[in-house]
Amino acid sequence: MRSGETVSKYFHNVLHSVIRLHGELLKRPEPIPENSIDERWKWFKNCLGALDGTHVKVRVPMSEKPKYRNRKGDISTNVLGVCSQDMQFIYVLLGWEGFAANGRVLRDAIRRTNGLRVPHGYYYFVDAGYTNCTGFFAPFCGQRREMSDDGNDVILEESDDDEANESITSVEPSDEWSAMRMTLAGHIKMDTSKTKGLSQNKRFWTEEEDNKLIESLLELNNDGRFKAEGSFKPGHLKELEKKLHEKLSGCDLLAKPHIESRMKTLKTNFQIVHDMLTGPNCSGFGWDTERKTVTAEKPVWDAYIQSHKEAAPFKLKSFPYYDELSMIFGKDRATGQHAETPADVEEQLQNEGGDYNPDDYASTEDVNNASDNNVDIHSGDLAAALTESTMTLAAVIEKSSARLSKAIVEDLNDKHMQLGEELSRTTTLTIMDRHKVYRLIVQDNALVSYFFSLPDELKDDWAKGILAGTI
């Protein structure tokens, strides 16, 4: 019978050993060769693999939950995983808050000292949540893809970049890669919709036009040049018009009034659904990822619709773009301050100095030499070596927890100091009413964090609801 303390101690020691073995456990990327005969991969010469974000549920303090609440309403951390063609991990970045968009996590991975490196002329597959750009190959948003019936290979043009040995250090849109994607699209069957229009100022948007608008919005969102805190910068409508004209042959959509009006409609619908799934009255609501619909029992729907009549259509209506719009319109206050790779953890241990002696650990060269010389390692020696090599993990966890607690307290203190100014900036309350609201919500750290997570346009109504006692 082992005590809980002993189990926890050695469990953490083993985790630390795994972290120190990241150089051996993570696979080096290997591109698809030009002479590949693999039916799944031969079309994609120089492809290194694929990457995406995945959410792992975590437990965090109540005040931190808004940052970690993802678009499905779960409290999670967003983990970036990069895999080879045979499903082996190449790179991992952990620690970003669940509310952070995948594109933002990828930009962080690219810029890090121990970050993701993509040599020029090579690329990874990504989904439509990322920007189609040099080094990252995104699909057409909302389209099904199949190989051509004629069996012809899809040849991707080689890079003419002279700096072939350098790595990509930023995520920027690329006309060259968009053209390459168009070349590949020539070998793909895609369903299309007929364009319909009512008039210049009022028109019916087809499914294809909506798909291309969402795709363009995601590109602008991940680009960074047109994205401000929770909204887009001036000039984004013209950029969207340009993108739609490139994506849709003969497109007659204009920045104003067409695109501007459609974006307002999408944002309004998104906010209605988002409030149902993540708002203060979200108990009982869920999200069906397959049908793209809000789910709830009839009593929950009836009670909610009585005070939120605008939500009634979504009782029967699907909202297919909710996941994408969460990345675009969600007010991302995630900071990524706790994000790190296995290499970062090992580097911190060496810089800070742990309760371990580096000479106690065998180097990669030693391991290789031992393997070459057929050295016989007895199980007893292996167990002793493993125990000695992992003794610092508990100390590492303790230090990390202390840093996390300190960061949380500092962030909360900053919010308390900014609360009065934020109420003054975003609400129409009188000075006395602002003082009352401040006193009511500052007593609950969860309310403070939730207030800062709201879009500016909703803070006034929320503060008035707190003052009236209806929230």
Side-chain angles (χ1 to χ4, degrees):
M1 188 72 175
R2 299 287 184 181
S3 69
E5 181 180 358
T6 301
V7 172
S8 177
K9 173 183 176 182
Y10 285 98
F11 175 76
H12 288 139
N13 288 345
V14 171
L15 286 181
H16 188 209
S17 292
V18 173
I19 290 174
R20 294 188 61 82
L21 289 171
H22 69 89
E24 303 296 329
L25 299 177
L26 296 178
K27 181 179 180 179
R28 293 184 178 277
E30 298 178 1
I32 300 297
E34 187 171 358
N35 60 353
S36 173
I37 59 174
D38 190 317
E39 286 299 325
R40 297 170 301 171
W41 291 101
K42 67 180 182 179
W43 317 94
F44 308 107
K45 181 184 64 176
N46 289 344
C47 174
L48 300 173
L51 64 86
D52 199 1
T54 185
H55 288 263
V56 179
K57 292 184 179 181
V58 294
R59 296 177 64 183
V60 298
M62 181 66 70
S63 60
E64 289 294 291
K65 285 189 176 181
K67 288 184 179 181
Y68 285 86
R69 191 181 302 279
N70 62 36
R71 63 180 184 270
K72 296 182 180 179
D74 297 324
I75 305 302
S76 67
T77 178
N78 193 346
V79 179
L80 173 65
V82 183
C83 291
S84 63
Q85 301 86 350
D86 54 355
M87 303 298 290
Q88 297 189 51
F89 278 102
I90 294 173
Y91 176 87
V92 180
L93 176 61
L94 313 96
W96 268 92
E97 298 90 335
F99 200 73
N102 287 345
R104 185 173 178 184
V105 179
L106 177 58
R107 288 199 299 273
D108 179 44
I110 290 291
R111 296 167 181 168
R112 284 177 170 265
T113 303
N114 297 315
L116 178 64
R117 298 293 176 258
V118 188
H120 282 281
Y122 299 87
Y123 60 94
Y124 286 100
F125 283 128
V126 296
D127 65 21
Y130 297 90
T131 301
N132 182 58
C133 60
T134 303
F136 303 98
F137 190 28
F140 283 90
C141 183
Q143 298 292 339
R144 298 178 61 185
R145 295 168 296 281
E146 301 175 12
M147 292 303 173
S148 59
D149 293 332
D150 57 15
N152 292 333
D153 289 354
V154 178
I155 303 298
L156 306 183
E157 296 179 2
E158 300 219 22
S159 171
D160 295 329
D161 199 324
D162 294 332
E163 301 175 352
N165 295 324
E166 293 189 5
S167 296
I168 297 166
T169 57
S170 63
V171 181
E172 300 292 344
S174 168
D175 292 337
E176 177 184 351
W177 278 66
S178 293
M180 186 185 72
R181 186 176 68 172
M182 293 299 293
T183 300
L184 180 61
H187 299 266
I188 296 174
K189 295 179 179 179
M190 296 182 295
D191 296 331
T192 58
S193 302
K194 295 182 179 180
T195 303
K196 300 179 182 179
L198 300 180
S199 67
Q200 181 181 5
N201 296 324
K202 185 177 181 181
R203 73 193 310 280
F204 173 79
W205 281 66
T206 67
E207 181 180 354
E208 182 182 17
E209 289 171 344
D210 272 340
N211 287 336
K212 296 305 179 185
L213 176 60
I214 296 297
E215 180 181 349
S216 300
L217 281 169
L218 284 169
E219 291 174 0
L220 257 62
N221 182 73
N222 294 333
D223 183 354
R225 292 177 298 170
F226 292 93
K227 192 70 190 294
E229 183 68 20
S231 62
F232 287 98
K233 297 178 182 178
H236 72 281
L237 292 176
K238 279 294 183 183
E239 184 68 16
L240 286 172
E241 178 184 306
K242 176 183 175 183
K243 286 180 175 292
L244 288 175
H245 285 188
E246 292 173 352
K247 298 173 186 293
L248 298 169
S249 178
C251 173
D252 63 344
L253 293 169
L254 301 176
K256 292 185 178 182
H258 304 139
I259 299 175
E260 182 181 43
S261 175
R262 189 57 177 166
M263 281 186 62
K264 287 181 179 179
T265 300
L266 289 172
K267 189 171 184 179
T268 299
N269 290 339
F270 163 76
Q271 196 61 58
I272 294 171
V273 175
H274 190 64
D275 286 347
M276 281 191 283
L277 298 177
T278 64
N281 303 310
C282 66
S283 178
F285 287 103
W287 178 251
D288 188 326
T289 57
E290 296 296 328
R291 295 188 299 164
K292 304 294 182 182
T293 56
V294 178
T295 60
E297 297 294 332
K298 186 177 185 300
V300 175
W301 269 115
D302 293 343
Y304 189 83
I305 292 174
Q306 285 183 1
S307 57
H308 301 80
K309 299 188 184 303
E310 71 281 1
F314 294 97
K315 186 176 180 179
L316 302 173
K317 174 183 175 183
S318 67
F319 190 48
Y321 305 112
Y322 177 72
D323 291 343
E324 291 84 355
L325 294 177
S326 293
M327 305 176 197
I328 298 168
F329 294 133
K331 195 165 186 180
D332 189 350
R333 291 190 177 274
T335 61
Q337 59 182 324
H338 308 302
E340 53 189 0
T341 66
D344 294 329
V345 176
E346 185 175 6
E347 187 175 295
Q348 288 176 13
L349 291 174
Q350 294 173 353
N351 293 338
E352 295 175 3
D355 299 327
Y356 71 97
N357 182 354
D359 295 333
D360 293 338
Y361 302 97
S363 66
T364 303
E365 183 178 356
D366 295 333
V367 173
N368 292 336
N369 290 338
S371 177
D372 293 340
N373 296 327
N374 297 319
V375 176
D376 184 18
I377 302 178
H378 297 288
S379 60
D381 296 336
L382 180 60
L386 180 61
T387 301
E388 292 178 5
S389 67
T390 60
M391 289 300 294
T392 60
L393 185 59
V396 174
I397 297 298
E398 183 178 357
K399 289 180 181 179
S400 298
S401 299
R403 288 198 300 268
L404 177 60
S405 299
K406 180 180 178 182
I408 291 173
V409 171
E410 290 176 351
D411 183 64
L412 194 56
N413 289 337
D414 289 342
K415 287 178 178 176
H416 282 187
M417 295 176 63
Q418 299 169 11
L419 183 56
E421 180 182 348
E422 191 73 3
L423 284 168
S424 176
R425 184 180 70 83
T426 60
T427 70
T428 58
L429 299 175
T430 64
I431 295 177
M432 186 57 65
D433 285 342
R434 290 202 301 270
H435 289 326
K436 292 179 181 179
V437 172
Y438 182 96
R439 180 175 58 82
L440 288 171
I441 68 176
V442 78
Q443 300 173 17
D444 188 336
N445 292 334
L447 290 178
V448 175
S449 296
Y450 182 75
F451 173 75
F452 276 93
S453 72
L454 287 172
D456 287 350
E457 60 266 24
L458 298 181
K459 289 180 178 177
D460 189 36
D461 290 339
W462 187 85
K464 290 177 181 177
I466 287 288
L467 192 62
T470 58
I471 295 180

